[in-house]
Amino acid sequence: MDGYVQRVLTATPSRLAVPLPADIISTVEFNHTGELLATGDKGGRVVIFQREPESKNAPHSQGEYDVYSTFQSHEPEFDYLKSLEIEEKINKIKWLPQQNAAHSLLSTNDKTIKLWKITERDKRPEGYNLKDEEGKLKDLSTVTSLQVPVLKPMDLMVEVSPRRIFANGHTYHINSISVNSDCETYMSADDLRINLWHLAITDRSFNIVDIKPANMEDLTEVITASEFHPHHCNLFVYSSSKGSLRLCDMRAAALCDKHSKLFEEPEDPSNRSFFSEIISSVSDVKFSHSGRYMLTRDYLTVKVWDLNMEARPIETYQVHDYLRSKLCSLYENDCIFDKFECAWNGSDSVIMTGAYNNFFRMFDRNTKRDVTLEASRESSKPRAVLKPRRVCVGGKRRRDDISVDSLDFTKKILHTAWHPAENIIAIAATNNLYIFQDKVNSDMH
Amino acid sequence: MPRPRGFEQEAPPPAREWPISGRSARRAQRRPFVDAEWRSLAPPRAVGRSSLSGGKLAAAAVAVAEQRTRRAASRVRIVVTKAPTACWNRGSPLPRFSCGLRVGRTGRRDPDNRSLKDTMFARGLKRKCVGHEEDVEGALAGLKTVSSYSLQRQSLLDMSLVKLQLCHMLVEPNLCRSVLIANTVRQIQEEMTQDGTWRAVAPQAAERAPLDRLVSTEILCRAAWGQEGAHPAPGLGDGHTQGPVSDLCPVTSAQAPRHPQSSAWEMDGPRENRGSFHKSLDQIFETLETKNPSCMEELFSDVDSPYYDLDTVLTGMMGGARSGPCEGLEGLAPATPAPSSSCKSDLGELDHVVEILVET
């Protein structure tokens, strides 16, 4: 956890003071091996980065990420019936486990999910009998002998094609997708419903959760995130805006409105305020790699839950408790509704989440140590070790501390991802993508 | 046709030259990442859109949305920037507090008050204390705390209502956010009814004849629900009426509890305007509901695009008002022309309400 070095990948040149809205990164996801890193932005584009294979010739470029492919995944649409725009912003990207030479990922905006296949082509057949090099038909009179076309190497070309488009499944805005461990199905969740799809079938989906009340005036709770269990293909969890988690078993019933387990922490009466419910709304839920624990993020804390205990989380970490006294201001400028994501590391020993002022926090579950780091160009040079930051809340103030009132609430780190095996993290800060590697890790190579 | 948008104008993104991968692209040899190269690899952002060849509905919707956002933009811009000062309005009900609220510690400790107070005052608002406070200070310190808490609570309620109104003006309301704000409003309302804010009604409030307001509110809500078939989230008064709106028949009996309620709203501020918050929340929820995709089927009814416009809702409702649940009210209310005038005056009152928020 100590000593992260950084590389910055950015969508706009640094001379632009204000990033274009279309360049703001809206999701970050590593694939299952960590070789590829996909980012989606508000303009509907997906950019895939690939890790360079480590070579002995250039010991400094040990496994750095470079652009592999870019494509336009979603376009803006207009729903004429409701006279509403459908944004092209990519809400989530999820990689499918690799089954052949091609890579596949699912990307979704508010309404439509698309399955993209990414293939490489590095050989080209040459020596056709009927066509010449440009593809024009040859004059048959010039053909005197037959040849067998051979495959010759060519410059690497990455081709991306949409293989499936899963449309019209959702009335409300899709907030999460999750691929099942059976590698055949996946689910998509919007504010009130969760649908189960088969990866090969686009014109049908099964509704497995529906919390829409008969009277919309009774609506008090929405679904905020959902995920399949990493190993058990029948289990999934979804979180709500009231701070509860529901674990459902698809074997129990076709419609999983009735949960198998309800994880909810009783409210602390001493901290009760008008904002208690808003800050208890869970913005992200992630299963651990082991499948035994769940990580949830609400506005001020991250919590680790044991699947075997529903009464309360086993660990609670304060992300930015100094904001507790500022909730009214944060409510007024809408920051209180920001949805932060959280991430596990490969061994489930460290958890990470983002905060404001381009800060992000990491908590070591074993040593109970935590660190605050900043993702900014100015704060450190590339390949320099990141310096831990501190927010002072009154009392003694050290030299490099930031005071709570000078935090920049427009610079928020909502999307983070951790390499599945190594200590490499990807942080999305507005339009910039920061990739940090553990110094220990990089020194070893 | 320009697509309906919120207030912000997106600058058209720069055209990027990029060979679409998979067709004719030859990927450049891999090189370490450099900003400029990345840009050249990025695909062209869709510049411009094909004109919307929708039918009249789409055109009307676009026009209405634009008109609404233009109206909303001017309205909202003012409200949002000035909302924090709105709570400290001059029309304080009890004259002894006209000097304003004391910032800082008071004799009585109230945890809720502290949490709200610290944040509210973090803005740095100061009120100059006008005078004879020293004598009454000790005795009233406790009362001040309570009053400041209720004022803060009121301002939080105002802010929430404004947010709800804002979010139904935008093109795509975020349902989670709307639900959370609505829950906060409901929570405040429950607390206000529980701690007896309603009970402290001066008798002179009765003679203000809130019946007009009651009539207009009921008709508004009824028209919305009757035409739509779906119900908006409960307005401020629904804590007293029984459940769904179809039970509007006990309107006469419900009037009694609503009566002090709407008057109680008036207690906290300029009377004729606070009362119409009662109505405004209903309006907000009804139009929020129309934006809600669950009412898609209702869009095919004859009131769709004009529905978004309050004026046409009211005029449309005048023609098609249900007579059943209205009977009780009509006995109390003046003759037919009066409801329309009261509704029109309610419109004026809504603007007045906004002005009060702005303190212009």
Side-chain angles (χ1 to χ4, degrees):
Chain A
M1 216 176 64
D2 303 313
Y4 273 84
V5 303
Q6 72 163 2
R7 274 201 80 210
V8 185
L9 301 139
T10 195
T12 52
S14 44
R15 65 174 175 275
L16 269 186
V18 178
L20 291 173
D23 290 336
I24 295 173
I25 299 174
S26 53
T27 185
V28 185
E29 188 80 10
F30 280 99
N31 76 336
H32 295 274
T33 59
E35 183 205 353
L36 296 176
L37 173 66
T39 63
D41 64 22
K42 271 186 91 171
R45 288 164 302 201
V46 172
V47 181
I48 303 177
F49 299 89
Q50 187 183 42
R51 194 173 186 196
E52 298 290 334
E54 294 153 15
S55 65
K56 308 249 183 341
N57 304 337
H60 288 296
S61 72
Q62 335 87 349
E64 292 186 343
Y65 285 84
D66 286 315
V67 178
Y68 178 65
S69 173
T70 309
F71 58 96
Q72 184 77 33
S73 170
H74 285 75
E75 294 280 351
E77 288 167 15
F78 191 74
D79 184 339
Y80 294 97
L81 283 181
K82 301 169 208 159
S83 61
L84 287 176
E85 262 203 1
I86 299 173
E87 277 189 331
E88 67 275 27
K89 174 172 78 104
I90 307 291
N91 290 336
K92 279 288 182 315
I93 291 176
K94 285 285 183 306
W95 289 93
L96 268 56
Q98 191 177 10
Q99 286 167 338
N100 49 34
H103 298 276
S104 302
L105 59 80
L106 287 169
S107 67
T108 182
N109 68 348
D110 282 339
K111 297 284 185 179
T112 307
I113 307 146
K114 294 188 183 179
L115 174 67
W116 294 90
K117 187 162 121 175
I118 302 133
T119 48
E120 286 183 4
R121 188 195 295 269
D122 62 353
K123 291 186 182 48
R124 172 186 68 191
E126 279 180 14
Y128 284 105
N129 290 298
L130 298 176
K131 296 188 289 188
D132 64 11
E133 290 307 309
E134 284 92 41
K136 289 200 311 244
L137 287 174
K138 279 187 196 171
D139 185 4
L140 285 179
S141 56
T142 63
V143 176
T144 51
S145 63
L146 287 177
Q147 57 180 347
V148 177
V150 291
L151 289 174
K152 296 266 175 67
M154 61 180 244
D155 287 342
L156 182 73
M157 189 160 79
V158 180
E159 298 175 334
V160 182
S161 58
R163 303 302 274 194
R164 305 268 190 277
I165 297 181
F166 305 91
N168 303 319
H170 287 276
T171 310
Y172 303 96
H173 294 337
I174 298 175
N175 52 51
S176 44
I177 52 176
S178 176
V179 183
N180 204 346
S181 50
D182 64 7
C183 304
E184 284 185 357
T185 56
Y186 75 95
M187 71 164 164
S188 56
D190 66 24
D191 291 321
L192 296 177
R193 299 191 177 101
I194 301 183
N195 290 340
L196 182 72
W197 303 80
H198 192 284
L199 283 167
I201 300 170
T202 58
D203 60 354
R204 237 177 309 153
S205 75
F206 290 98
N207 177 241
I208 52 177
V209 172
D210 189 343
I211 64 168
K212 183 180 169 193
N215 277 336
M216 281 300 278
E217 73 177 41
D218 299 332
L219 178 65
T220 54
E221 196 173 5
V222 297
I223 297 172
T224 51
S226 70
E227 199 184 29
F228 266 120
H229 192 279
H231 307 309
H232 302 300
C233 58
N234 54 298
L235 290 179
F236 66 93
V237 69
Y238 69 91
S239 61
S240 79
S241 58
K242 289 205 164 162
S244 63
L245 300 166
R246 286 173 170 79
L247 184 75
C248 300
D249 189 335
M250 292 198 290
R251 299 171 300 188
L255 191 58
C256 300
D257 280 357
K258 198 163 167 329
H259 53 263
S260 300
K261 289 199 180 193
L262 173 63
F263 299 82
E264 203 168 21
E265 185 174 23
E267 198 180 353
D268 180 9
S270 65
N271 266 340
R272 176 131 180 73
S273 74
F274 286 119
F275 307 109
S276 298
E277 186 187 320
I278 301 182
I279 62 170
S280 73
S281 168
V282 175
S283 54
D284 193 22
V285 64
K286 292 263 164 53
F287 276 105
S288 65
H289 292 94
S290 62
R292 166 122 185 236
Y293 302 103
M294 288 187 297
L295 180 65
T296 60
R297 172 77 155 98
D298 51 62
Y299 190 63
L300 296 178
T301 66
V302 281
K303 297 178 179 168
V304 179
W305 300 77
D306 187 324
L307 280 189
N308 302 320
M309 184 161 81
E310 300 169 64
R312 76 192 80 84
I314 57 171
E315 295 158 25
T316 302
Y317 301 95
Q318 301 292 333
V319 179
H320 37 205
D321 201 51
Y322 43 79
L323 296 183
R324 201 177 284 272
S325 55
K326 309 254 175 235
L327 289 179
C328 199
S329 318
L330 294 166
Y331 178 73
E332 194 194 341
N333 62 15
D334 268 6
C335 281
I336 207 173
F337 301 108
D338 287 336
K339 293 195 186 312
F340 292 94
E341 292 176 9
C342 51
W344 294 91
N345 74 336
S347 58
D348 298 338
S349 58
V350 183
I351 54 185
M352 167 174 72
T353 188
Y356 291 108
N357 210 70
N358 279 353
F359 287 168
F360 59 99
R361 304 259 284 142
M362 287 199 254
F363 303 91
D364 189 322
R365 297 176 60 213
N366 301 326
T367 65
K368 302 298 179 203
R369 279 171 48 222
D370 62 86
V371 69
T372 305
L373 299 171
E374 183 177 1
S376 80
R377 287 178 180 282
E378 296 81 25
S379 69
S380 50
K381 299 188 177 31
R383 302 187 211 295
V385 175
L386 281 183
K387 200 177 44 176
R389 307 305 308 270
R390 207 173 87 108
V391 178
C392 75
V393 283
K396 283 172 48 160
R397 194 196 149 154
R398 289 190 230 146
R399 196 168 52 112
D400 288 327
D401 283 2
I402 307 248
S403 77
V404 184
D405 299 310
S406 51
L407 289 175
D408 187 347
F409 290 97
T410 59
K411 294 192 188 154
K412 47 193 98 168
I413 293 185
L414 302 172
H415 311 287
T416 60
W418 205 309
H419 191 286
E422 301 185 27
N423 278 345
I424 303 172
I425 54 180
I427 312 276
T430 326
N431 62 325
N432 295 324
L433 180 70
Y434 292 80
I435 297 187
F436 298 100
Q437 295 185 332
D438 197 351
K439 186 168 82 98
V440 173
N441 198 23
S442 54
D443 276 351
M444 271 161 47
H445 301 279
Chain B
M1 189 172 302
R3 52 182 177 174
R5 261 280 186 220
F7 324 116
E8 74 275 12
Q9 273 296 325
E10 258 190 25
R16 300 175 185 214
E17 50 93 26
W18 182 78
I20 305 281
S21 168
R23 292 180 198 154
S24 59
R26 293 227 154 205
R27 190 172 175 277
Q29 80 220 33
R30 292 193 212 164
R31 274 170 288 178
F33 169 81
V34 172
D35 286 352
E37 285 164 11
W38 194 96
R39 280 192 80 212
S40 68
L41 282 175
R45 177 78 175 79
V47 178
R49 291 158 57 85
S50 54
S51 66
L52 300 175
S53 57
K56 251 164 73 169
L57 175 61
V62 167
V64 169
E66 279 184 321
Q67 177 194 10
R68 198 174 60 241
T69 53
R70 266 203 300 278
R71 270 211 315 252
S74 55
R75 186 185 295 177
V76 162
R77 206 169 32 239
I78 298 169
V79 171
V80 167
T81 55
K82 290 227 175 177
T85 62
C87 51
W88 317 122
N89 62 60
R90 306 179 196 102
S92 179
L94 299 170
R96 61 186 71 160
F97 296 124
S98 62
C99 64
L101 297 165
R102 168 74 65 89
V103 179
R105 306 254 184 271
T106 57
R108 184 160 127 192
R109 281 274 182 193
D110 184 352
D112 280 345
N113 185 30
R114 184 178 57 223
S115 70
L116 266 184
K117 197 189 228 207
D118 288 346
T119 59
M120 294 305 285
F121 285 97
R123 213 163 285 297
L125 289 172
K126 287 188 184 173
R127 300 288 285 198
K128 196 166 162 212
C129 196
V130 180
H132 45 269
E133 194 186 278
E134 302 81 9
D135 301 336
V136 295
E137 182 185 318
L140 296 174
L143 286 170
K144 267 190 192 175
T145 312
V146 174
S147 167
S148 75
Y149 171 73
S150 65
L151 272 173
Q152 288 164 5
R153 186 175 56 189
Q154 180 66 43
S155 76
L156 182 63
L157 180 65
D158 301 345
M159 200 195 314
S160 306
L161 291 177
V162 165
K163 280 186 183 299
L164 281 174
Q165 208 159 20
L166 258 184
C167 76
H168 97 273
M169 299 290 193
L170 294 177
V171 181
E172 299 206 81
N174 183 342
L175 188 63
C176 181
R177 179 176 171 269
S178 309
V179 166
L180 288 174
I181 298 174
N183 288 349
T184 308
V185 167
R186 232 176 258 131
Q187 204 182 336
I188 296 176
Q189 181 224 335
E190 276 168 19
E191 196 181 287
M192 282 178 119
T193 56
Q194 267 170 21
D195 67 18
T197 319
W198 306 131
R199 264 182 263 119
V201 171
Q204 67 267 22
E207 72 198 22
R208 300 210 68 254
L211 292 176
D212 287 313
R213 212 157 297 108
L214 272 181
V215 168
S216 56
T217 309
E218 288 304 311
I219 291 176
L220 255 187
C221 299
R222 203 179 320 116
W225 297 322
Q227 281 163 352
E228 219 181 324
H231 309 297
L236 298 175
D238 280 4
H240 290 280
T241 57
Q242 290 80 27
V245 169
S246 51
D247 296 341
L248 266 182
C249 291
V251 126
T252 36
S253 56
Q255 262 189 358
R258 292 186 80 141
H259 177 129
Q261 180 181 330
S262 58
S263 319
W265 281 110
E266 296 153 12
M267 181 193 109
D268 277 343
R271 295 159 183 245
E272 61 278 7
N273 300 297
R274 291 300 181 195
S276 43
F277 267 119
H278 189 194
K279 161 184 56 72
S280 63
L281 183 58
D282 291 335
Q283 283 169 15
I284 289 161
F285 279 120
E286 109 208 355
T287 40
L288 178 68
E289 180 63 4
T290 62
K291 280 297 195 182
N292 195 308
S294 71
C295 309
M296 202 163 71
E297 54 273 21
E298 278 80 31
L299 280 172
F300 290 111
S301 69
D302 39 3
V303 275
D304 37 14
S305 57
Y307 199 52
Y308 296 109
D309 193 279
L310 186 58
D311 298 292
T312 47
V313 166
L314 293 171
T315 50
M317 161 273 295
M318 280 303 124
R322 304 283 156 87
S323 59
C326 223
E327 276 161 10
L329 281 179
E330 275 171 5
L332 297 165
T336 321
S340 60
S341 63
S342 68
C343 288
K344 291 281 192 290
S345 68
D346 283 336
L347 265 185
E349 275 171 6
L350 187 57
D351 286 336
H352 196 140
V353 158
V354 174
E355 278 175 28
I356 293 298
L357 277 178
V358 169
E359 278 198 325
T360 47

